[in-house]
Coordinates of all heavy atoms in Angstrom, one line a residue:
M28 N -1.2 -29.6 -15.0 CA -0.4 -28.9 -14.1 C -0.2 -29.7 -12.8 O 0.8 -29.8 -12.2 CB -1.0 -27.6 -13.8 CG -0.1 -26.4 -13.5 SD 1.3 -26.3 -14.6 CE 1.8 -24.7 -14.0
K29 N -1.3 -30.3 -12.3 CA -1.3 -31.0 -11.0 C -0.4 -32.2 -11.2 O 0.3 -32.6 -10.3 CB -2.7 -31.4 -10.6 CG -2.8 -31.9 -9.2 CD -4.2 -32.1 -8.8 CE -4.3 -32.6 -7.4 NZ -5.6 -32.6 -6.9
L30 N -0.5 -32.9 -12.3 CA 0.3 -34.1 -12.5 C 1.8 -33.8 -12.5 O 2.6 -34.5 -11.9 CB 0.0 -34.8 -13.9 CG 0.7 -36.0 -14.2 CD1 0.5 -37.1 -13.1 CD2 0.3 -36.5 -15.6
S31 N 2.2 -32.6 -13.1 CA 3.6 -32.2 -13.1 C 4.0 -31.9 -11.7 O 5.2 -32.3 -11.3 CB 3.7 -30.9 -13.9 OG 5.0 -30.4 -13.9
S32 N 3.2 -31.3 -10.8 CA 3.6 -31.0 -9.5 C 3.8 -32.3 -8.7 O 4.7 -32.5 -7.9 CB 2.6 -30.2 -8.8 OG 2.5 -28.9 -9.4
T33 N 2.9 -33.3 -8.9 CA 3.0 -34.6 -8.2 C 4.3 -35.3 -8.6 O 5.0 -35.9 -7.8 CB 1.7 -35.4 -8.5 OG1 0.6 -34.7 -8.2 CG2 1.8 -36.8 -7.8
F34 N 4.6 -35.3 -9.9 CA 5.8 -35.9 -10.4 C 7.0 -35.3 -9.8 O 7.9 -36.0 -9.4 CB 5.9 -35.9 -11.9 CG 7.1 -36.4 -12.5 CD1 7.3 -37.8 -12.5 CD2 8.1 -35.6 -12.9 CE1 8.5 -38.3 -13.0 CE2 9.3 -36.1 -13.4 CZ 9.5 -37.5 -13.4
T35 N 7.0 -34.0 -9.7 CA 8.2 -33.2 -9.2 C 8.4 -33.6 -7.7 O 9.5 -33.9 -7.2 CB 8.0 -31.7 -9.3 OG1 7.9 -31.4 -10.7 CG2 9.2 -31.0 -8.7
L36 N 7.3 -33.7 -6.9 CA 7.4 -34.0 -5.5 C 7.9 -35.5 -5.4 O 8.7 -35.8 -4.5 CB 6.1 -33.9 -4.8 CG 5.6 -32.4 -4.6 CD1 4.2 -32.4 -4.0 CD2 6.6 -31.7 -3.6
L37 N 7.4 -36.4 -6.2 CA 7.9 -37.8 -6.2 C 9.4 -37.8 -6.5 O 10.1 -38.5 -5.8 CB 7.1 -38.6 -7.2 CG 7.5 -40.1 -7.3 CD1 7.2 -40.8 -5.9 CD2 6.7 -40.7 -8.4
W38 N 9.8 -37.1 -7.5 CA 11.2 -37.2 -7.9 C 12.1 -36.6 -6.8 O 13.1 -37.2 -6.4 CB 11.4 -36.3 -9.2 CG 12.8 -36.4 -9.7 CD1 13.4 -37.4 -10.4 CD2 13.9 -35.5 -9.4 NE1 14.7 -37.1 -10.6 CE2 15.0 -35.9 -10.0 CE3 13.9 -34.3 -8.7 CZ2 16.2 -35.3 -9.9 CZ3 15.1 -33.6 -8.6 CH2 16.3 -34.1 -9.2
V39 N 11.7 -35.5 -6.1 CA 12.5 -34.9 -5.1 C 12.5 -35.9 -3.9 O 13.5 -36.1 -3.3 CB 11.9 -33.5 -4.6 CG1 12.5 -33.1 -3.3 CG2 12.1 -32.5 -5.7
G40 N 11.4 -36.5 -3.6 CA 11.4 -37.5 -2.5 C 12.3 -38.7 -2.7 O 13.0 -39.1 -1.8
I41 N 12.4 -39.1 -3.9 CA 13.3 -40.2 -4.3 C 14.7 -39.8 -4.2 O 15.6 -40.5 -3.6 CB 13.0 -40.8 -5.7 CG1 11.6 -41.5 -5.7 CG2 14.1 -41.7 -6.2 CD1 11.1 -41.9 -7.1
A42 N 15.0 -38.6 -4.7 CA 16.4 -38.1 -4.7 C 16.8 -37.9 -3.2 O 18.0 -38.2 -2.9 CB 16.4 -36.8 -5.4
L43 N 16.0 -37.3 -2.4 CA 16.4 -37.1 -1.0 C 16.5 -38.5 -0.3 O 17.4 -38.6 0.6 CB 15.3 -36.3 -0.3 CG 15.3 -34.8 -0.7 CD1 14.2 -34.1 0.0 CD2 16.6 -34.1 -0.5
G44 N 15.8 -39.5 -0.6 CA 15.9 -40.8 0.0 C 17.2 -41.5 -0.3 O 17.6 -42.4 0.3
Q45 N 17.9 -41.0 -1.4 CA 19.1 -41.7 -1.8 C 20.4 -41.0 -1.4 O 21.4 -41.2 -1.8 CB 19.1 -41.8 -3.3 CG 18.1 -42.8 -3.8 CD 18.1 -42.9 -5.3 OE1 18.7 -42.1 -6.0 NE2 17.4 -43.9 -5.9
Q46 N 20.2 -40.0 -0.5 CA 21.4 -39.3 0.0 C 22.3 -40.2 0.8 O 21.8 -41.1 1.5 CB 21.0 -38.1 0.9 CG 20.4 -37.0 0.1 CD 20.0 -35.8 1.0 OE1 19.9 -35.9 2.2 NE2 19.8 -34.7 0.4
V47 N 23.5 -40.0 0.7 CA 24.5 -40.9 1.4 C 25.0 -40.1 2.7 O 25.0 -38.9 2.7 CB 25.7 -41.3 0.6 CG1 25.2 -42.2 -0.6 CG2 26.4 -40.0 0.0
P48 N 25.3 -40.8 3.7 CA 25.8 -40.2 4.9 C 27.2 -39.5 4.7 O 28.0 -40.0 4.0 CB 25.9 -41.3 5.9 CG 26.0 -42.5 5.1 CD 25.3 -42.3 3.8
E49 N 27.3 -38.4 5.4 CA 28.6 -37.7 5.5 C 29.6 -38.6 6.2 O 29.3 -39.3 7.1 CB 28.5 -36.4 6.1 CG 29.7 -35.5 6.1 CD 29.5 -34.2 6.7 OE1 28.4 -33.6 6.5 OE2 30.4 -33.7 7.5
C50 N 30.9 -38.5 5.8 CA 31.9 -39.3 6.5 C 32.4 -38.6 7.7 O 33.3 -37.7 7.6 CB 33.0 -39.7 5.5 SG 34.2 -40.8 6.3
S51 N 32.0 -39.0 8.9 CA 32.5 -38.4 10.1 C 33.7 -39.2 10.6 O 33.9 -40.4 10.1 CB 31.5 -38.4 11.2 OG 31.1 -39.7 11.5
R52 N 34.5 -38.7 11.5 CA 35.6 -39.5 12.0 C 35.1 -40.8 12.7 O 35.8 -41.8 12.6 CB 36.4 -38.7 13.1 CG 37.2 -37.6 12.5 CD 38.0 -36.8 13.5 NE 38.7 -35.7 12.8 CZ 39.7 -35.1 13.4 NH1 40.0 -35.3 14.6 NH2 40.3 -34.1 12.7
E53 N 34.0 -40.7 13.4 CA 33.4 -41.8 14.1 C 33.0 -42.9 13.1 O 33.3 -44.1 13.3 CB 32.2 -41.4 14.9 CG 32.6 -40.6 16.1 CD 32.8 -39.1 15.7 OE1 32.3 -38.7 14.6 OE2 33.4 -38.3 16.5
L54 N 32.4 -42.5 12.0 CA 32.0 -43.4 10.9 C 33.2 -44.1 10.3 O 33.2 -45.3 10.1 CB 31.1 -42.7 9.9 CG 30.5 -43.6 8.8 CD1 29.6 -44.7 9.4 CD2 29.7 -42.8 7.8
A55 N 34.2 -43.3 9.9 CA 35.4 -43.8 9.3 C 36.1 -44.8 10.1 O 36.8 -45.7 9.6 CB 36.3 -42.6 8.8
A56 N 36.0 -44.6 11.4 CA 36.7 -45.5 12.4 C 36.0 -46.9 12.6 O 36.6 -47.8 13.2 CB 36.9 -44.8 13.7
T57 N 34.8 -47.1 12.0 CA 34.1 -48.4 12.2 C 34.8 -49.4 11.3 O 35.4 -49.2 10.3 CB 32.6 -48.2 11.9 OG1 32.5 -47.9 10.5 CG2 32.0 -47.2 12.7
D58 N 34.6 -50.7 11.7 CA 35.1 -51.8 10.9 C 34.4 -51.9 9.6 O 35.1 -52.2 8.6 CB 34.8 -53.1 11.7 CG 35.7 -53.3 12.9 OD1 36.8 -52.6 13.0 OD2 35.4 -54.1 13.8
D59 N 33.1 -51.6 9.5 CA 32.4 -51.6 8.2 C 33.1 -50.6 7.2 O 33.3 -50.9 6.1 CB 30.9 -51.2 8.4 CG 30.1 -52.4 9.0 OD1 30.7 -53.5 9.1 OD2 29.0 -52.1 9.3
C60 N 33.3 -49.4 7.7 CA 33.9 -48.4 6.8 C 35.4 -48.7 6.5 O 35.8 -48.4 5.4 CB 33.8 -47.0 7.4 SG 32.1 -46.4 7.3
A61 N 36.1 -49.3 7.4 CA 37.5 -49.8 7.1 C 37.5 -50.7 6.0 O 38.3 -50.6 5.1 CB 38.1 -50.4 8.4
D62 N 36.5 -51.6 5.9 CA 36.4 -52.6 4.8 C 36.2 -51.8 3.5 O 36.7 -52.3 2.4 CB 35.2 -53.6 5.0 CG 35.5 -54.6 6.0 OD1 36.7 -54.8 6.4 OD2 34.6 -55.3 6.5
V63 N 35.5 -50.7 3.5 CA 35.2 -50.0 2.3 C 36.4 -49.1 1.9 O 36.8 -49.0 0.8 CB 33.9 -49.1 2.5 CG1 33.7 -48.2 1.3 CG2 32.7 -50.0 2.7
I64 N 37.0 -48.4 2.9 CA 38.1 -47.5 2.7 C 39.3 -48.2 2.2 O 40.0 -47.8 1.3 CB 38.3 -46.6 4.0 CG1 37.2 -45.7 4.3 CG2 39.6 -45.8 3.8 CD1 37.2 -45.1 5.7
N65 N 39.6 -49.3 2.9 CA 40.9 -50.0 2.6 C 40.9 -50.7 1.2 O 42.0 -51.2 0.8 CB 41.1 -51.1 3.7 CG 41.5 -50.4 5.0 OD1 41.9 -49.3 5.1 ND2 41.2 -51.2 6.1
A66 N 39.8 -50.7 0.5 CA 39.7 -51.4 -0.8 C 40.1 -50.4 -1.9 O 39.8 -50.7 -3.1 CB 38.4 -52.0 -1.0
N67 N 40.6 -49.2 -1.7 CA 40.9 -48.3 -2.7 C 41.7 -48.8 -3.9 O 41.4 -48.5 -5.0 CB 41.6 -47.0 -2.2 CG 40.5 -46.0 -1.7 OD1 39.5 -45.9 -2.2 ND2 40.9 -45.3 -0.6
A68 N 42.7 -49.6 -3.6 CA 43.6 -50.1 -4.7 C 42.7 -51.0 -5.6 O 42.9 -51.0 -6.8 CB 44.8 -50.9 -4.1
C69 N 41.9 -51.8 -5.0 CA 41.0 -52.7 -5.7 C 40.0 -51.9 -6.6 O 39.8 -52.2 -7.8 CB 40.2 -53.6 -4.8 SG 39.2 -54.9 -5.6
Y70 N 39.5 -50.8 -6.0 CA 38.6 -49.9 -6.8 C 39.3 -49.4 -8.1 O 38.7 -49.3 -9.2 CB 38.0 -48.8 -6.0 CG 37.3 -49.1 -4.8 CD1 37.4 -48.3 -3.6 CD2 36.5 -50.2 -4.7 CE1 36.8 -48.6 -2.5 CE2 35.8 -50.5 -3.5 CZ 36.0 -49.7 -2.4 OH 35.3 -50.0 -1.2
N71 N 40.5 -49.0 -7.9 CA 41.3 -48.4 -9.0 C 41.5 -49.5 -10.1 O 41.5 -49.2 -11.2 CB 42.7 -47.9 -8.5 CG 42.5 -46.7 -7.7 OD1 41.5 -45.9 -7.8 ND2 43.5 -46.4 -6.8
Q72 N 41.7 -50.7 -9.7 CA 41.9 -51.8 -10.6 C 40.6 -52.0 -11.5 O 40.7 -52.2 -12.7 CB 42.2 -53.1 -9.9 CG 42.4 -54.3 -10.8 CD 42.7 -55.6 -10.0 OE1 42.7 -55.6 -8.8 NE2 42.8 -56.7 -10.8
F73 N 39.5 -52.0 -10.8 CA 38.2 -52.3 -11.6 C 37.5 -51.0 -12.1 O 36.6 -51.1 -12.9 CB 37.3 -53.1 -10.7 CG 37.7 -54.5 -10.4 CD1 38.0 -54.9 -9.1 CD2 38.0 -55.4 -11.4 CE1 38.4 -56.2 -8.8 CE2 38.4 -56.7 -11.2 CZ 38.7 -57.0 -9.8
R74 N 38.0 -49.9 -11.7 CA 37.4 -48.6 -12.2 C 35.9 -48.5 -12.0 O 35.2 -47.9 -12.8 CB 37.8 -48.4 -13.6 CG 39.2 -48.4 -13.9 CD 39.9 -47.1 -13.6 NE 41.3 -47.2 -14.0 CZ 42.2 -46.5 -13.4 NH1 41.9 -45.8 -12.4 NH2 43.5 -46.6 -13.7
F75 N 35.4 -49.0 -10.9 CA 34.0 -48.9 -10.5 C 33.1 -49.4 -11.6 O 32.2 -48.8 -12.0 CB 33.6 -47.5 -10.1 CG 34.3 -47.0 -8.8 CD1 35.5 -46.3 -8.8 CD2 33.7 -47.3 -7.6 CE1 36.1 -46.0 -7.7 CE2 34.3 -47.0 -6.4 CZ 35.5 -46.3 -6.5
R76 N 33.4 -50.6 -12.1 CA 32.6 -51.3 -13.1 C 31.9 -52.5 -12.5 O 32.5 -53.3 -11.8 CB 33.5 -51.8 -14.3 CG 33.8 -50.6 -15.2 CD 34.6 -51.2 -16.3 NE 35.9 -50.5 -16.2 CZ 37.1 -51.0 -16.5 NH1 37.1 -52.2 -17.0 NH2 38.2 -50.4 -16.4
D77 N 30.6 -52.6 -12.7 CA 29.8 -53.8 -12.4 C 30.0 -54.2 -10.9 O 30.4 -53.4 -10.1 CB 30.1 -54.9 -13.3 CG 29.9 -54.5 -14.8 OD1 29.0 -53.7 -15.1 OD2 30.7 -54.9 -15.6
N78 N 29.7 -55.5 -10.7 CA 29.8 -56.0 -9.3 C 31.2 -56.4 -8.9 O 31.5 -56.8 -7.8 CB 28.9 -57.2 -9.1 CG 27.4 -56.7 -8.9 OD1 27.2 -55.6 -8.4 ND2 26.5 -57.6 -9.2
Q79 N 32.2 -56.3 -9.8 CA 33.6 -56.5 -9.4 C 34.0 -55.6 -8.4 O 34.8 -55.9 -7.5 CB 34.5 -56.4 -10.7 CG 34.3 -57.5 -11.7 CD 35.2 -57.4 -12.9 OE1 35.5 -56.3 -13.3 NE2 35.6 -58.5 -13.5
T80 N 33.5 -54.4 -8.4 CA 33.9 -53.4 -7.4 C 33.3 -53.8 -6.1 O 34.0 -53.7 -5.0 CB 33.3 -52.0 -7.8 OG1 33.9 -51.6 -9.0 CG2 33.6 -51.0 -6.7
L81 N 32.1 -54.3 -6.1 CA 31.5 -54.8 -4.8 C 32.4 -55.9 -4.2 O 32.5 -56.0 -3.0 CB 30.1 -55.3 -5.0 CG 29.2 -55.6 -3.8 CD1 29.1 -54.3 -3.0 CD2 27.9 -56.0 -4.2
S82 N 33.0 -56.8 -5.0 CA 33.8 -57.8 -4.5 C 35.1 -57.3 -3.8 O 35.7 -58.1 -3.0 CB 34.2 -58.8 -5.6 OG 35.1 -58.2 -6.5
C83 N 35.4 -56.1 -4.0 CA 36.6 -55.5 -3.3 C 36.3 -55.3 -1.8 O 37.3 -55.3 -1.0 CB 36.9 -54.1 -3.9 SG 37.4 -54.1 -5.6
I84 N 35.1 -55.2 -1.4 CA 34.7 -54.9 0.0 C 34.6 -56.2 0.8 O 34.0 -57.1 0.3 CB 33.4 -54.1 0.0 CG1 33.5 -52.8 -0.8 CG2 33.0 -53.8 1.4 CD1 32.2 -52.1 -1.0
G85 N 35.2 -56.2 1.9 CA 35.1 -57.4 2.8 C 33.7 -57.5 3.3 O 33.0 -56.6 3.6
G86 N 33.2 -58.8 3.4 CA 31.9 -59.0 3.8 C 31.5 -60.5 3.6 O 32.2 -61.2 2.8
T87 N 30.4 -60.9 4.2 CA 30.0 -62.3 4.1 C 29.3 -62.6 2.8 O 29.4 -63.7 2.3 CB 29.1 -62.7 5.3 OG1 28.0 -61.8 5.3 CG2 29.8 -62.6 6.6
D88 N 28.6 -61.6 2.3 CA 27.9 -61.8 1.0 C 27.7 -60.4 0.3 O 28.1 -59.4 0.9 CB 26.6 -62.6 1.2 CG 25.6 -61.9 2.1 OD1 25.7 -60.6 2.2 OD2 24.8 -62.5 2.7
N89 N 27.2 -60.4 -0.9 CA 27.0 -59.2 -1.6 C 26.0 -58.2 -0.9 O 26.2 -57.0 -1.0 CB 26.5 -59.4 -3.0 CG 27.7 -59.8 -3.9 OD1 28.9 -59.6 -3.5 ND2 27.4 -60.3 -5.1
N90 N 25.0 -58.7 -0.2 CA 24.1 -57.9 0.6 C 24.8 -57.1 1.7 O 24.7 -55.9 1.9 CB 22.9 -58.6 1.1 CG 22.0 -59.1 0.1 OD1 21.9 -58.5 -1.0 ND2 21.3 -60.2 0.3
A91 N 25.7 -57.8 2.4 CA 26.5 -57.2 3.5 C 27.4 -56.2 2.9 O 27.6 -55.1 3.4 CB 27.2 -58.2 4.3
R92 N 28.1 -56.5 1.8 CA 29.0 -55.6 1.1 C 28.3 -54.3 0.6 O 28.8 -53.2 0.7 CB 29.7 -56.3 -0.1 CG 30.7 -57.3 0.4 CD 31.3 -58.0 -0.8 NE 32.1 -59.2 -0.4 CZ 31.7 -60.4 -0.6 NH1 30.5 -60.7 -1.2 NH2 32.4 -61.4 -0.2
A93 N 27.1 -54.5 0.0 CA 26.3 -53.4 -0.5 C 25.9 -52.4 0.7 O 26.0 -51.2 0.5 CB 25.1 -53.9 -1.2
K94 N 25.5 -53.0 1.8 CA 25.2 -52.2 3.0 C 26.4 -51.3 3.4 O 26.2 -50.2 3.8 CB 24.6 -53.0 4.1 CG 23.2 -53.5 3.9 CD 22.7 -54.3 5.0 CE 21.4 -54.9 4.7 NZ 20.8 -55.7 5.7
K95 N 27.5 -52.0 3.5 CA 28.7 -51.2 3.8 C 29.0 -50.1 2.8 O 29.4 -49.0 3.2 CB 29.9 -52.2 3.9 CG 29.9 -53.1 5.1 CD 31.1 -54.0 5.1 CE 31.1 -55.1 6.2 NZ 32.3 -55.9 6.2
A96 N 28.9 -50.4 1.6 CA 29.2 -49.4 0.5 C 28.2 -48.2 0.6 O 28.6 -47.1 0.5 CB 29.0 -50.1 -0.9
C97 N 27.0 -48.5 0.9 CA 26.0 -47.4 1.1 C 26.3 -46.6 2.3 O 26.3 -45.3 2.2 CB 24.6 -48.0 1.3 SG 23.8 -48.8 -0.1
K98 N 26.6 -47.2 3.4 CA 26.9 -46.5 4.7 C 28.2 -45.7 4.6 O 28.2 -44.6 5.2 CB 27.0 -47.6 5.8 CG 27.3 -47.1 7.1 CD 27.4 -48.3 8.1 CE 27.9 -48.0 9.4 NZ 28.0 -49.2 10.3
C99 N 29.2 -46.2 3.9 CA 30.5 -45.6 4.0 C 31.0 -45.0 2.7 O 32.2 -44.6 2.6 CB 31.5 -46.6 4.4 SG 31.0 -47.4 6.0
C100 N 30.2 -44.9 1.6 CA 30.7 -44.4 0.4 C 31.3 -43.0 0.5 O 32.2 -42.6 -0.2 CB 29.7 -44.5 -0.7 SG 28.4 -43.2 -0.7
G101 N 30.7 -42.2 1.4 CA 31.2 -40.8 1.6 C 32.6 -40.8 2.1 O 33.3 -39.8 1.9
C102 N 33.1 -41.8 2.7 CA 34.4 -41.9 3.2 C 35.4 -42.2 2.1 O 36.7 -42.1 2.3 CB 34.6 -43.0 4.3 SG 33.6 -42.6 5.8
V103 N 35.0 -42.7 0.9 CA 35.8 -42.9 -0.2 C 35.8 -41.8 -1.2 O 36.9 -41.3 -1.6 CB 35.4 -44.2 -0.9 CG1 36.2 -44.5 -2.2 CG2 35.5 -45.4 0.0
G104 N 34.6 -41.2 -1.5 CA 34.6 -40.1 -2.4 C 33.3 -40.1 -3.3 O 32.6 -41.1 -3.3
K105 N 33.2 -39.1 -4.0 CA 32.0 -38.9 -4.9 C 31.9 -40.0 -5.9 O 30.8 -40.5 -6.1 CB 32.1 -37.6 -5.6 CG 30.9 -37.3 -6.5 CD 31.0 -35.9 -7.1 CE 29.8 -35.6 -8.0 NZ 29.0 -36.6 -8.6
V106 N 33.0 -40.5 -6.5 CA 32.9 -41.6 -7.5 C 32.3 -42.8 -6.8 O 31.5 -43.5 -7.5 CB 34.3 -41.8 -8.1 CG1 35.3 -42.4 -7.1 CG2 34.1 -42.7 -9.3
M107 N 32.6 -43.1 -5.6 CA 32.1 -44.3 -4.9 C 30.6 -44.1 -4.7 O 29.8 -45.0 -4.9 CB 32.8 -44.5 -3.6 CG 32.3 -45.7 -2.8 SD 32.6 -47.3 -3.7 CE 32.3 -48.4 -2.3
C108 N 30.2 -42.9 -4.2 CA 28.8 -42.7 -3.9 C 28.0 -42.7 -5.2 O 26.8 -43.2 -5.3 CB 28.6 -41.3 -3.2 SG 29.2 -41.4 -1.5
D109 N 28.5 -42.2 -6.3 CA 27.9 -42.2 -7.6 C 27.7 -43.6 -8.1 O 26.6 -44.0 -8.6 CB 28.7 -41.4 -8.7 CG 28.6 -39.9 -8.5 OD1 27.8 -39.4 -7.7 OD2 29.4 -39.2 -9.1
W110 N 28.7 -44.5 -7.8 CA 28.6 -45.9 -8.2 C 27.5 -46.6 -7.4 O 26.8 -47.4 -8.0 CB 30.0 -46.6 -8.0 CG 30.0 -48.0 -8.4 CD1 30.1 -48.5 -9.6 CD2 29.8 -49.1 -7.5 NE1 30.0 -49.9 -9.5 CE2 29.9 -50.3 -8.2 CE3 29.7 -49.2 -6.1 CZ2 29.7 -51.5 -7.7 CZ3 29.6 -50.5 -5.5 CH2 29.6 -51.6 -6.3
V111 N 27.5 -46.3 -6.1 CA 26.5 -46.9 -5.3 C 25.1 -46.6 -5.8 O 24.2 -47.4 -5.9 CB 26.6 -46.5 -3.8 CG1 25.4 -46.8 -2.9 CG2 27.9 -47.1 -3.2
T112 N 24.9 -45.3 -6.1 CA 23.6 -44.8 -6.7 C 23.3 -45.5 -8.0 O 22.1 -46.0 -8.2 CB 23.6 -43.3 -6.9 OG1 23.9 -42.7 -5.6 CG2 22.3 -42.8 -7.4
Q113 N 24.2 -45.7 -8.9 CA 24.0 -46.3 -10.2 C 23.7 -47.8 -10.0 O 22.9 -48.3 -10.8 CB 25.3 -46.2 -11.0 CG 25.5 -44.8 -11.5 CD 26.8 -44.7 -12.2 OE1 27.7 -45.6 -12.2 NE2 27.0 -43.5 -12.9
Q114 N 24.2 -48.4 -9.0 CA 23.9 -49.9 -8.7 C 22.6 -50.1 -8.1 O 22.1 -51.2 -8.1 CB 25.0 -50.5 -7.8 CG 26.4 -50.4 -8.4 CD 26.5 -51.1 -9.8 OE1 26.1 -52.2 -10.0 NE2 27.0 -50.3 -10.8
R115 N 22.0 -49.0 -7.6 CA 20.6 -49.1 -7.0 C 20.5 -50.1 -5.8 O 19.6 -50.8 -5.7 CB 19.6 -49.4 -8.0 CG 19.5 -48.3 -9.1 CD 18.4 -48.6 -10.1 NE 18.5 -47.5 -11.1 CZ 17.8 -47.6 -12.2 NH1 17.0 -48.6 -12.5 NH2 17.8 -46.6 -13.1
F116 N 21.5 -50.0 -5.0 CA 21.5 -50.9 -3.8 C 20.4 -50.4 -2.9 O 20.1 -49.2 -2.8 CB 22.8 -50.8 -3.1 CG 24.0 -51.4 -3.8 CD1 25.2 -50.8 -3.8 CD2 23.9 -52.6 -4.5 CE1 26.3 -51.3 -4.5 CE2 24.9 -53.1 -5.2 CZ 26.2 -52.5 -5.2
Q117 N 19.9 -51.3 -2.1 CA 18.8 -50.9 -1.1 C 19.5 -50.4 0.1 O 19.9 -51.1 1.0 CB 18.0 -52.2 -0.8 CG 17.2 -52.7 -1.9 CD 16.2 -51.7 -2.4 OE1 15.5 -51.1 -1.6 NE2 16.1 -51.6 -3.7
C118 N 19.8 -49.1 0.2 CA 20.5 -48.5 1.3 C 19.6 -48.1 2.4 O 18.5 -47.8 2.3 CB 21.2 -47.2 0.8 SG 22.4 -47.6 -0.5

């Protein structure tokens, strides 16, 4: 019983740690989020598959693009946030 409780607490902690920020007007107005939001046509082309989607986002390298995707996925929508979670980026 104790092991089950420990596992549940660990799972909840992990799930809460992966929450994405809400998209506020201030966040959406940043250059980082503009790079993520403006790539919608590219996302539609790749249908959120693999790292091709990451290449849609402006940035110096994949780490920079991943940080932007984590920070701003809420400004694109649930499908983007789900993709970020599936990719297991270090947000």
